[in-house]
């Protein structure tokens, strides 16, 4: 890791370095930074975090046993077997160190920001750019104030491009994430209805997410969804900007035809156009492909590589992941949920040929309009002709109410708990069915997927 000596690390985090007797640094450079002592390897830096249930400081002896080059600590450790750096707050030190490390890197950093679709956009952009560059990307969903530093520490000198996801739920968070990532490019997917408890409305969401622009270089580039009314008005602080979308944007799509096997579309850019087959279902994936096309075009990738990257993109667990079992198909999209992503997933389900079953749960952090927003998801269920709706949770009763008021042919089954729902659901599904499973993370709907696919 470039310039990550103990002296530089101590200076970056504003800490005091303590060395054991007779210890010499000998120009050692850290090989990694982790917060989980189980991941410590030789010459790693271990940063213990105080959690609600576990204090990482208790694992410091284990970290040294595994070969840690040094640890950070928020109190005097006394006599230890290895170097340590005393700081006021290890979590803040982790962020300070990530910012320092980012400044040492030559990689072109792309920040993925937005209310919905950050992970799928990140995967699409990385798939395309990896056809031409050595790419690092956010692993899983490490996109918050703990996850982003770990993502940045994963960038090595051989990486030419890093695609990092940046997620927030309150004002000021994106400012802190931006200070660490200092992205050369930002791709903003949309301004949707999520985290409304803190951000109040879409204008608040826009203000919070665009905090990242302050931390970009003056020659940075911003790629925006031009079909989003709020992003059309976004103040990019004088930075170069480009728009993508399906309605007359610089990077646009026409002739869109979707199904469960994927989406066909013609992608049109300033210099070329091409028909593509996106191997992931859902019209929203056309936007992901356009964002990737714009990023790759800016980095001067050949058309053939861009198209190949789009056509070889893949999903990850919990994100529109199709699992086939005993003749039926489960769409595992249960990592998280908000009204926009719920409706997009229902649109995917509507293309199924057999019985279409939606298994939905409560969505969190929607503020004072939470009941209304759940009701609107129920309206979408009815409008899209979904055959059956299973729900669990108090707020999801609004989905049931909406379907019943619509007088549609959709059969509804509401339950207080997912455990009660699972037992009935397993007796209901049969060969030929397609079952969408989706809810906010706190509902723990992966257990529903496990029950259907075990």
């Amino acid at each position: 890791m470039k310039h990550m000596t103990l002296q530089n690390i101590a200076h970056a985090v504003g800490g005091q370095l303590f060395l054991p007797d007779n210890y010499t640094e000998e120009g050692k450079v850290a090989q990694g930074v982790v917060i989980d002592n189980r991941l410590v390897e030789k010459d790693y830096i271990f940063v213990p975090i105080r959690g609600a249930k576990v204090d990482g400081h208790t694992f410091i002896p284990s970290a040294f046993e595994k070969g840690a080059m040094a640890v950070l600590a928020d109190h005097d450790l006394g006599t230890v077997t290895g170097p340590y750096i005393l700081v006021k707050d290890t979590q803040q030190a982790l962020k300070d160190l990530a910012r320092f490390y980012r400044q040492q890197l030559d990689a072109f950093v792309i920040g993925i920001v937005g209310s919905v679709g950050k992970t799928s956009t990140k995967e699409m952009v990385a798939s395309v750019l990896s056809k031409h560059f050595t790419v690092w990307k956010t692993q899983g969903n490490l996109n918050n104030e703990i996850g982003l530093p770990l993502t940045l520490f994963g960038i090595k000198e051989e990486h030419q491009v890093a695609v990092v996801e940046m997620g927030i739920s309150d004002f000021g968070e994106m400012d802190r994430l931006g200070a660490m990532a200092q992205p050369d490019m930002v791709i903003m997917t949309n301004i949707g209805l999520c985290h409304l408890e803190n951000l109040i409305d879409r204008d608040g969401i826009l203000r919070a997410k665009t905090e990242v622009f302050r931390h970009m270089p003056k020659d940075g580039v911003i790629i925006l969804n031009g079909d989003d009314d709020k992003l059309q008005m976004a103040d990019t602080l004088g930075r170069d900007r480009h728009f993508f979308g399906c309605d007359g944007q610089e990077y646009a799509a026409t002739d869109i035809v979707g199904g469960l096997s994927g989406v066909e579309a013609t992608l049109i850019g300033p210099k070329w156009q091409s028909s593509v087959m996106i191997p992931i279902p859902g019209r929203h994936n056309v936007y992901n492909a356009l964002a990737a096309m714009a990023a790759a075009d800016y980095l001067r990738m050949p058309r053939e590589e861009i198209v190949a990257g789009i056509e070889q993109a893949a999903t990850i667990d919990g994100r529109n992941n199709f699992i086939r079992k005993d003749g039926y198909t489960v769409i595992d999209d249960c990592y998280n949920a908000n009204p926009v992503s719920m409706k997009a997933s229902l649109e995917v389900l509507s293309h199924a040929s057999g019985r279409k079953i939606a298994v939905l749960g409560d969505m969190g952090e929607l503020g004072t309009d939470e009941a209304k927003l759940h009701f609107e998801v129920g309206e979408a269920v009815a409008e899209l002709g979904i055959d059956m709706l299973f729900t669990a949770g108090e707020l999801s009763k609004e989905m049931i109410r909406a379907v019943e008021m619509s007088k549609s042919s959709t059969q509804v089954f509401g339950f207080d708990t997912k455990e009660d729902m699972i037992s009935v659901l397993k007796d209901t599904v049969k060969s030929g069915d397609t079952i969408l499973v989706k809810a906010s993370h706190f509902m723990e709907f992966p257990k529903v997927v496990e029950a259907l696919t075990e």
Side-chain angles (χ1 to χ4, degrees):
M1 303 182 77
K2 200 171 182 180
H3 302 312
M4 291 282 275
T5 65
L6 289 182
Q7 293 292 343
N8 285 343
I9 293 171
H11 184 265
V13 301
Q16 184 177 0
L17 175 61
F18 291 87
L19 300 173
D21 293 339
N22 302 318
Y23 180 89
T24 57
E25 288 189 61
E26 300 176 353
K28 281 187 177 180
V29 176
Q31 300 302 305
V33 180
V34 295
I35 62 172
D36 185 341
N37 78 298
R38 294 169 296 183
L39 302 179
V40 171
E41 298 181 21
K42 181 173 172 53
D43 290 335
Y44 272 40
I45 304 297
F46 173 56
V47 183
I49 303 295
R50 290 187 184 274
K53 297 181 179 179
V54 178
D55 180 2
H57 289 80
T58 61
F59 300 107
I60 286 176
S62 171
F64 280 126
E65 289 174 5
K66 292 183 176 182
M69 187 172 105
V71 303
L72 273 59
D74 62 12
H75 62 277
D76 188 342
L77 297 181
T79 302
V80 291
T81 58
Y84 78 94
I85 299 170
L86 179 64
V87 298
K88 290 182 179 180
D89 182 331
T90 55
Q91 188 167 323
Q92 180 60 47
L94 180 73
K95 292 184 277 190
D96 292 338
L97 186 56
R99 181 177 184 175
F100 167 78
Y101 181 62
R102 162 65 182 104
Q103 291 169 342
Q104 316 310 308
L105 297 169
D106 296 324
F108 186 89
V109 175
I110 301 174
I112 308 295
V113 178
S115 298
V116 182
K118 291 186 295 295
T119 300
S120 56
T121 301
K122 175 255 298 183
E123 292 294 322
M124 181 70 77
V125 172
S127 175
V128 170
L129 298 186
S130 64
K131 295 299 176 184
H132 192 85
F133 302 100
T134 303
V135 175
W136 174 252
K137 65 180 180 181
T138 298
Q139 305 299 294
N141 197 45
L142 294 175
N143 64 8
N144 60 16
E145 292 188 62
I146 294 293
L148 180 62
L150 301 178
T151 294
L152 295 174
F153 291 132
I155 306 171
K156 306 303 181 186
E157 290 188 56
E158 64 266 24
H159 292 125
Q160 298 167 293
V161 177
V163 186
V164 301
E165 189 176 329
M166 305 169 73
I168 65 165
S169 60
D170 205 349
F171 294 105
E173 287 183 56
M174 188 60 78
D175 192 48
R176 296 188 289 274
L177 295 179
M180 287 185 276
Q182 300 168 46
D184 300 290
M185 173 186 288
V186 166
I187 296 173
M188 198 162 289
T189 62
N190 48 56
I191 302 298
L193 297 171
C194 59
H195 306 303
L196 295 177
E197 285 184 338
N198 297 322
L199 303 178
I200 309 302
D201 55 23
R202 290 182 68 221
D203 288 326
I205 295 169
L206 177 66
R207 289 197 308 274
K209 292 189 182 296
T210 54
E211 290 172 357
V212 68
F213 297 160
R214 306 169 192 166
H215 301 283
M216 299 180 68
K218 291 298 182 183
D219 61 351
V221 62
I222 298 170
I223 297 174
L224 302 167
N225 181 347
D227 289 351
D228 187 291
D229 60 322
K230 296 298 181 182
L231 291 180
Q232 289 174 4
M233 303 182 295
D235 181 1
T236 56
L237 305 181
R239 280 142 181 108
D240 184 24
R241 64 180 183 177
H242 301 271
F243 289 101
F244 64 91
C246 297
D247 187 19
Q249 307 300 337
E250 181 181 359
Y251 292 89
T254 61
D255 306 320
I256 301 170
V257 180
L260 285 187
S261 61
V263 185
E264 295 181 60
T266 298
L267 306 187
I268 304 169
K271 300 176 183 177
W272 57 269
Q273 67 180 56
S274 181
S275 296
V276 299
M277 176 61 188
I278 304 167
I280 310 168
R283 184 185 177 94
H284 55 284
N285 284 298
V286 174
Y287 286 91
N288 300 341
L290 288 170
M293 176 188 185
D297 205 30
Y298 177 83
L299 293 172
R300 300 182 179 181
M301 280 182 58
R303 175 179 63 177
E304 294 76 14
E305 292 179 345
I306 297 173
V307 171
I310 291 171
E311 294 191 332
Q312 293 171 25
T315 59
I316 60 176
D317 288 349
R319 309 278 184 165
N320 243 343
N321 183 31
F322 280 57
I323 305 170
R324 290 170 176 82
K325 172 77 173 179
D326 296 335
Y328 58 80
T329 300
V330 176
I331 305 176
D332 172 14
D333 198 17
C334 60
Y335 180 81
N336 219 336
N338 57 54
V340 175
S341 65
M342 276 280 198
K343 293 172 185 176
S345 295
L346 287 167
E347 189 273 331
V348 172
L349 176 63
S350 72
H351 292 288
S353 56
R355 287 197 308 177
K356 298 173 276 289
I357 302 174
V359 183
L360 308 180
D362 290 359
M363 301 175 288
E365 299 182 344
L366 294 180
T368 56
D369 286 337
E370 59 183 7
K372 175 178 178 288
L373 294 170
H374 281 78
F375 187 89
E376 290 175 356
V377 169
E379 290 180 319
V381 169
E383 290 169 4
L384 289 167
I386 306 304
D387 297 298
M388 293 182 177
L389 170 64
F390 284 74
T391 71
E394 187 64 29
L395 286 169
S396 295
K397 292 176 181 178
E398 288 296 308
M399 301 181 194
I400 298 283
R401 191 168 72 88
V403 173
E404 290 176 337
M405 288 181 64
S406 74
K407 301 187 184 303
S408 72
S409 60
T410 303
Q411 294 179 269
V412 294
F413 305 85
F415 301 87
D416 291 327
T417 70
K418 62 180 174 295
E419 288 75 19
D420 292 338
M421 180 182 70
I422 286 171
S423 62
V424 177
L425 179 62
K426 289 182 69 174
D427 290 336
T428 302
V429 298
K430 63 183 182 181
S431 180
D433 291 347
T434 300
I435 306 108
L436 167 68
V437 184
K438 191 167 181 65
S440 279
H441 190 58
F442 70 89
M443 293 294 291
E444 299 181 333
F445 265 36
K447 293 179 181 178
V448 180
V449 174
E450 291 173 11
L452 291 171
T453 59
E454 62 186 4

